Amino acid sequence: MIDSEIINSNPKLYALLPLLHVAWSDAVLTPSEISYVNDLVSETQWLTDEEKKWVKDRLDPKNPPSARQLKGWLAKLKEVEPQLSDDDKHDLVAMGIQLAEFNGYSANTETRLKVKESLRKIEQALGVIGNEVNRFLLDNDDNTLTRNLGTHTTFDRQEMTDLLDGEHKALIQRVKTILTDPEFKYFEGEDHSKYREQVLLWCKLLAEQGFGAQAYPKEVGGSDDMAGYFMIMETLSYHDLSMVIKYGVQFGLFGMSIMFLGTDKHHKKYLPKIGTLELPGSFAMTESGHGSNVRDIETTATYDKVEDGFIIHTPNHLARKDYIGNAACHAQMATVFAKLIIDGTDFGVNAFLVPLRDKEGNTLPGIKIEDCGLKMGLNGVDNGRIWFDRIKIPKENMLDRFAWVNDSGEFESSIASDSRRFFTMLGTLVGGRIGIPRSALSAAKSGLAIAIKYGDQRRQFGPKNGPEVPILNYRSHQRRLIPLLANAYALHFALGYLTNRFLHRKEEEMQEIEALAAGLKAYSTWNTTATLQTCREACGGNGFLTENRIGALKNDTEVYTTFEGDNTVLMQLVAKSRLTEFKQEFHEADFFGILNYITNQAKTVIVEMNPITVRRTDEEHLLDPEFHLSAFTYRERSILTSAAKRFKHKLDSGMDSFDAFNECQYHMLNVGTAYTERIVLEQFIQQVGRTEHQELKTVLKRLCDLFALHLIEKNKGWYLEQGYMDGSKTKAIRRMVNTLCWEIRQEAVPLVDAFDIPASCLAAPIAFES
Amino acid sequence: MIDSEIINSNPKLYALLPLLHVAWSDAVLTPSEISYVNDLVSETQWLTDEEKKWVKDRLDPKNPPSARQLKGWLAKLKEVEPQLSDDDKHDLVAMGIQLAEFNGYSANTETRLKVKESLRKIEQALGVIGNEVNRFLLDNDDNTLTRNLGTHTTFDRQEMTDLLDGEHKALIQRVKTILTDPEFKYFEGEDHSKYREQVLLWCKLLAEQGFGAQAYPKEVGGSDDMAGYFMIMETLSYHDLSMVIKYGVQFGLFGMSIMFLGTDKHHKKYLPKIGTLELPGSFAMTESGHGSNVRDIETTATYDKVEDGFIIHTPNHLARKDYIGNAACHAQMATVFAKLIIDGTDFGVNAFLVPLRDKEGNTLPGIKIEDCGLKMGLNGVDNGRIWFDRIKIPKENMLDRFAWVNDSGEFESSIASDSRRFFTMLGTLVGGRIGIPRSALSAAKSGLAIAIKYGDQRRQFGPKNGPEVPILNYRSHQRRLIPLLANAYALHFALGYLTNRFLHRKEEEMQEIEALAAGLKAYSTWNTTATLQTCREACGGNGFLTENRIGALKNDTEVYTTFEGDNTVLMQLVAKSRLTEFKQEFHEADFFGILNYITNQAKTVIVEMNPITVRRTDEEHLLDPEFHLSAFTYRERSILTSAAKRFKHKLDSGMDSFDAFNECQYHMLNVGTAYTERIVLEQFIQQVGRTEHQELKTVLKRLCDLFALHLIEKNKGWYLEQGYMDGSKTKAIRRMVNTLCWEIRQEAVPLVDAFDIPASCLAAPIAFES
């Protein structure tokens, strides 16, 4: 017995059971809904008054069915389930009639139709949407699209790794082998002093392998292999990032400042000891008062004619050197940037070698060092603040590649302008802006490997009664992670391009390469911040546990967007450089020809922006790299010309140039970003083009398409404002992004496996089969 | 002597000096540019061959001027500076002619014009943009717009604080006074065990103040003041967030689960001890295998007829309770959610009180507890994992407000449906989704106070030779921080509204309130993550130092987007709730009337979207709250109908409902977001409307305008796709956002001061005058 007597003697009442069950177990009925359903029941002609009362009683909110009654109804429904067609299973009304008949009700076709119509009205009144209700009535519908999505690999994982590693495969493997040594077990304590010592020890072990001197000339014990240095830094970045930064400070910033700003005598004297870490050192450029504005630093190096040397001095509190890596504990010497003063004349910023500590680690007289203390991340690096109290150094301690004081005590330089000399000196240090984004990218790859492998295994929710579904099968989860995977591949190739340009640089290309490095440094490090933030959230509470490493990756790379040039400042440098180049394109014409150019470009655009292209939404077009690249290039050029026009207009109207630049700052940042994005896309497209393995080519093309379309989607507001695309096209792009995410999700695990991150480095338990 | 003899005997050559100086000190000349300038020089008629040679020699890249020569040129320029008009100072050609005349050159008007024309061509060939060059030639132009921007307060800071605090001013002050006590000095060590004990001690001190029992009934020693509880939690959140979460777990989650799910006997027995922290406890809902999907948890509570009690059991490894706050060290009891099994029948999830430890802190037999270990943040909270090995508890330990086992050992409930009972039970716990976003908002306010006060003081770069400029005067810095300040004010009022709705809730409003809480919890916590990320970057390296607290704020609130309901899951709940409400609006019509509705709405929209409104860009319109609200409402309704249509279409085409929802997931998240944003704007507009103080009203109106326009700008792609606005309007909105940022920047410091965060809580050295 499932209910009162009446239903047993009136099997037709069973016809209402599915609706009643849904009403009580799922829908929340408002009083007005109940009264409306009651009205419908009153109107029915196929129910007697007594039966109507039974139905109405079943809808009385003051007297709801008991939990056991509901379960009884469900049991009855299950009895008839085997007899139901698939269609009926999704139709509460059809199900009800079948149930009634199963329990002995029989009616002629006409009555049957009437009952059906009447029930249909009640169903609509209950507002049950389509077959959504079957979740509560029927078993197992686990044969769904969402559930069946899984990994389907079309390419050889090792071949992809080989393609990513390129010609440095052997060196990369060597670094990975070292990292897998038990000596490189992650530090697990909480005491940052011990952590710092561990990091120092790791750096010594790396130096023993020759990794410290990799980029230095062979004469001083190095391998003369700058490319290898970048590869080492990138590969080390799968491991502890404090170690990477300490490595970068010692062998990169400190050692290479001597290599690039010093001359032979410095190389021979210092590089051998730096490469082996016998001489730990710092790179002391930043001051508290001047983080980004290095040109205005205040530390002085006053030429002392009598002793033929320099006096290094910190003239005020804010002129202390700040945030100097290696300084708080270990550095024995520093490359110090200071304003050279000769006879009261300021000859601009130059670099000097200043001893900080003796071999026992005691701070030398006149030097004051303070620990910067705990940080959000990178606590294995000992950052410090340094004050100099009239420290005397010999003349030979000036790094004299670009400027020097001659025997008569006069300033000499191969570059006349203080300003240009300053930028040339900084230009030689651009390598830091290559190492950092590469390191950032490795961290992003680690985060993606963890989050994607976790998303492939972690199951939550699912179709009714079926097993739960991997969360990476959810569209929104794909939307979060898969475009970031495409970014990682895109930036891998773009950073390879930047590195090559730097390695094979010519003097006249330096301005371009510096802009390229600034743009890619900012873009990649911001991408890493965004990627790791998303990975953390995508791993839920597990992403918050230290053991799963996303926290450390995020916090350690957090400052990457700040050091080696604050990203916002860098993007403005890129914009300035683009404006200069833009200007140079017009040097033969009247400069005011810019305006003509704009008009001309507008004409070109009108051709490109013909109504058909603006609206084209077919797959062939949407996946055409030419379309992607023209959209990116169009955006880059338009923003640049518009920023130039805007800037010039402000100046023409009499605004101060400083104000004018500030008025356009927002556009300037967009100029930098659009330029960088175009470069990244261009390099990715070229990479796809030159990939020979067909399987790799196919999957890379898909990632490249996603990279391009996802960015176009992100900037759709701009494209629509310009009339470059219409709404139907941007909507089609959104759908295509969804489709690409769904497709790439199936190769997402092999795609992160292809990064070939050593298991001992990845380490996060959630990234491994449980 | 500044150069070779020739210039001394040919003062007209001085006319070229400004151009030459710029060419060498700033511009980078390409070989083709030099050759072009040389051609121009060759063509000139006012120079002799000898003079031309002199000029060309000065442009020879192989023989650049020396640094001292350049400095000599500059000195010459400075000599003439006092005689230059302001216009001439910005004109290299005019300056050159003045300089030549100053040094003895004289020419008739005709020649003068010819020289000018010739120089102008050279200037253009050098590509010097307008007056930008004066940065390198002239002193001090510090009277710029950018530099002169500063704080200009139009309102009374205390009045704003009073408005924000509202009726709970006294309680808020009391909490702040307690927090200022030396006992509440921030914990500074690195040992997380000590940190946990410190946090426990703080919670005990709070309990001593009666803050623990604030919300509990007066009969059990409380203040019957739920509103006060939220205020306490919000105010405590200016201090250590581990303390806040521990406070929330003990007095909120644990205590209130008993208050809301238990009955009188539980209240009397437990709440007095919980409010004083005599009985530390946990809230054990989440399991490792089921983070978000609580309905499918696997812990069992089997009714034991013989002993008339329950057996609590963990049936498999993944059914362990996970991430349970207070569990690793301190909890002596837990509210455990488990499936109630009676005679083999599963009656769904219910709550039971299970002892974990004795008073000495020893884990009881059959209970296994593991520490979750270190986390990215909140390390003062002891999260743990719990396994139950057939733990017997008496029948009275079932929290029996909604369901119970009767004397015959049968299940009884006031709510028949397992599903509906489950959601009703969860619904009573919605308070957690109010406390968390309020806590999150306080953290965002702290971050903003630090970053904005720092940005107001920190100076970097500036107009030529003038003092440097506060970084908050830069447009891009304003763009980063000021809209987030507007968000903080907007969410303050929206969360006040949510709290009020919850405090004065009626049964039939619960579904709406739950959706509201879910939406605002997700929206606010994401906003906090974004705000603190931006604050960190906006403070540069200083933002990375632990002492400046942004790291802790960011890392501690990181998991806010995950706990109390994963944000992505919550936004989908909001969407489902919106779909149901949407459906109910049509229950009296044919359900398929939705399609008619859509058509009708389209008609309404056509009226609203007349060409004039679509294009209106006047200030009156752009700052009209009615325009803002219609834009938000239009977006909300359109996305909702389109998601409903899409979902129904998928179902109609025979797709499984689980798949169909997944297909629409991206839209569903937008439904949730658009709904939440509309509510927030609506409440902000109402707040502005009811604010009486004219000065406060003005500044709040400006913040509200910025909140609205910044979001419209963010969604401009969507509005343009819909044709709701055209490109000229979205561009005007972008300009208006810039203007509002510039205006609000001038009151940004008083606006964060109005949060009235105790100095000892804010603590960050960079937030205070140095």
Side-chain angles (χ1 to χ4, degrees), chain B residues 344-413:
Chain B
T345 301
D346 177 349
F347 285 90
V349 175
N350 285 276
F352 305 85
L353 291 175
V354 183
L356 299 179
R357 291 189 176 84
D358 61 23
K359 288 193 184 243
E360 283 69 46
N362 306 305
T363 308
L364 298 173
I367 304 276
K368 181 180 140 192
I369 298 180
E370 191 179 275
D371 196 324
C372 289
L374 285 177
K375 304 181 296 285
M376 198 173 171
L378 296 181
N379 278 309
V381 181
D382 52 318
N383 292 89
R385 303 184 178 109
I386 314 175
W387 286 259
F388 303 102
D389 185 9
R390 294 184 178 75
I391 301 297
K392 290 189 180 177
I393 56 166
K395 196 176 183 180
E396 63 178 40
N397 279 21
M398 177 168 179
L399 295 177
D400 57 356
R401 177 169 163 204
F402 295 106
W404 54 92
V405 177
N406 67 19
D407 292 342
S408 324
E410 287 168 327
F411 181 79
E412 283 190 5
S413 170

Side-chain angles (χ1 to χ4, degrees), chain B residues 113-334:
Chain B
L113 268 177
K114 222 182 269 171
V115 172
K116 210 164 189 169
E117 197 186 327
S118 160
L119 289 174
R120 191 70 75 199
K121 275 190 192 164
I122 297 176
E123 181 188 36
Q124 287 166 10
L126 290 172
V128 176
I129 300 182
N131 66 357
E132 193 190 9
V133 296
N134 73 2
R135 279 178 63 69
F136 304 95
L137 293 179
L138 301 173
D139 269 337
N140 224 322
D141 53 13
D142 73 344
N143 194 25
T144 66
L145 283 176
T146 307
R147 199 181 108 58
N148 289 339
L149 195 66
T151 291
H152 171 74
T153 320
T154 58
F155 62 91
D156 184 85
R157 207 275 285 157
Q158 185 60 49
E159 279 171 4
M160 184 65 92
T161 304
D162 291 347
L163 183 144
L164 292 172
D165 288 355
E167 50 183 315
H168 294 90
K169 195 177 158 55
L171 177 62
I172 292 172
Q173 275 311 323
R174 229 186 98 213
V175 177
K176 287 181 183 169
T177 306
I178 302 297
L179 288 180
T180 311
D181 189 279
E183 287 277 6
F184 283 85
K185 191 177 165 299
Y186 282 113
F187 177 77
E188 287 188 346
E190 293 184 86
D191 180 337
H192 76 281
S193 315
K194 287 184 189 154
Y195 185 19
R196 287 170 172 186
E197 294 311 313
Q198 174 66 70
V199 167
L200 180 67
L201 178 66
W202 282 333
C203 287
K204 282 182 181 158
L205 294 173
L206 295 173
E208 276 175 21
Q209 294 293 325
F211 294 152
Q214 192 82 14
Y216 302 164
K218 291 195 172 144
E219 309 88 82
V220 299
S223 306
D224 199 12
D225 177 17
M226 182 61 88
Y229 168 77
F230 290 126
M231 285 301 159
I232 293 169
M233 184 137 174
E234 176 175 298
T235 310
L236 291 179
S237 299
Y238 293 131
H239 192 252
D240 184 289
L241 294 169
S242 286
M243 177 185 81
V244 174
I245 297 306
K246 185 114 174 169
Y247 170 90
V249 166
Q250 169 70 18
F251 307 114
L253 290 175
F254 177 51
M256 290 189 203
S257 63
I258 293 174
M259 186 162 110
F260 287 119
L261 301 177
T263 45
D264 210 38
K265 58 181 178 291
H266 303 112
H267 299 173
K268 285 185 182 139
K269 185 166 177 187
Y270 298 109
L271 289 182
K273 292 182 189 170
I274 294 173
T276 55
L277 202 34
E278 188 190 332
L279 176 67
S282 284
F283 179 83
M285 178 184 268
T286 304
E287 296 179 0
S288 301
H290 294 91
S292 294
N293 187 6
V294 179
R295 209 166 149 184
D296 283 350
I297 56 167
E298 297 172 86
T299 302
T300 50
T302 308
Y303 178 63
D304 177 357
K305 220 164 197 159
V306 182
E307 307 216 11
D308 198 24
F310 304 97
I311 298 163
I312 307 293
H313 187 59
T314 304
N316 63 61
H317 188 68
L318 287 177
R320 65 184 182 185
K321 294 294 176 185
D322 204 347
Y323 241 113
I324 308 304
N326 231 352
C329 303
H330 302 130
Q332 291 169 18
M333 177 172 273

Side-chain angles (χ1 to χ4, degrees), chain A residues 67-264:
Chain A
R68 274 169 297 157
Q69 256 176 321
L70 261 192
K71 289 209 196 309
W73 293 356
L74 188 59
K76 272 286 169 199
L77 286 172
K78 296 224 169 178
E79 281 178 17
V80 80
E81 197 190 337
Q83 317 218 349
L84 298 177
S85 71
D86 272 358
D87 277 356
D88 286 355
K89 282 185 188 176
H90 295 150
D91 183 340
L92 292 178
V93 172
M95 198 189 296
I97 291 176
Q98 292 267 2
L99 183 64
E101 290 175 346
F102 181 77
N103 285 283
Y105 175 62
S106 74
N108 59 28
T109 317
E110 203 192 336
T111 315
R112 226 169 167 266
L113 269 176
K114 223 182 268 170
V115 172
K116 214 165 184 168
E117 200 187 324
S118 159
L119 289 174
R120 192 67 74 198
K121 277 190 190 161
I122 297 176
E123 182 189 34
Q124 288 166 8
L126 291 172
V128 175
I129 300 183
N131 65 359
E132 192 190 9
V133 297
N134 73 1
R135 280 178 63 69
F136 305 95
L137 293 178
L138 302 173
D139 270 338
N140 224 325
D141 52 11
D142 73 343
N143 195 25
T144 65
L145 285 176
T146 308
R147 198 180 110 58
N148 289 339
L149 195 67
T151 291
H152 171 73
T153 320
T154 58
F155 63 91
D156 184 83
R157 207 275 284 157
Q158 185 60 51
E159 279 170 5
M160 184 66 91
T161 303
D162 291 348
L163 183 144
L164 292 172
D165 288 355
E167 50 183 317
H168 294 90
K169 195 176 157 54
L171 177 62
I172 292 173
Q173 274 312 320
R174 231 186 95 212
V175 177
K176 288 182 183 169
T177 305
I178 303 297
L179 288 181
T180 311
D181 189 278
E183 288 277 8
F184 284 85
K185 193 176 164 299
Y186 282 113
F187 177 76
E188 286 187 346
E190 293 183 86
D191 179 338
H192 76 280
S193 315
K194 288 182 188 155
Y195 185 20
R196 288 170 171 187
E197 294 310 313
Q198 173 65 72
V199 167
L200 180 67
L201 178 65
W202 282 333
C203 287
K204 282 181 181 158
L205 294 172
L206 295 174
E208 275 174 22
Q209 295 293 324
F211 294 153
Q214 193 80 17
Y216 302 163
K218 289 192 173 144
E219 309 87 83
V220 299
S223 306
D224 200 12
D225 177 17
M226 181 63 86
Y229 168 76
F230 290 125
M231 285 300 160
I232 293 169
M233 184 138 175
E234 174 175 300
T235 310
L236 291 179
S237 299
Y238 294 131
H239 193 255
D240 184 287
L241 294 170
S242 285
M243 175 185 82
V244 173
I245 298 306
K246 184 112 173 169
Y247 170 91
V249 166
Q250 169 70 18
F251 307 114
L253 290 176
F254 177 53
M256 290 188 204
S257 63
I258 294 174
M259 186 162 111
F260 286 120
L261 302 178
T263 46
D264 210 39

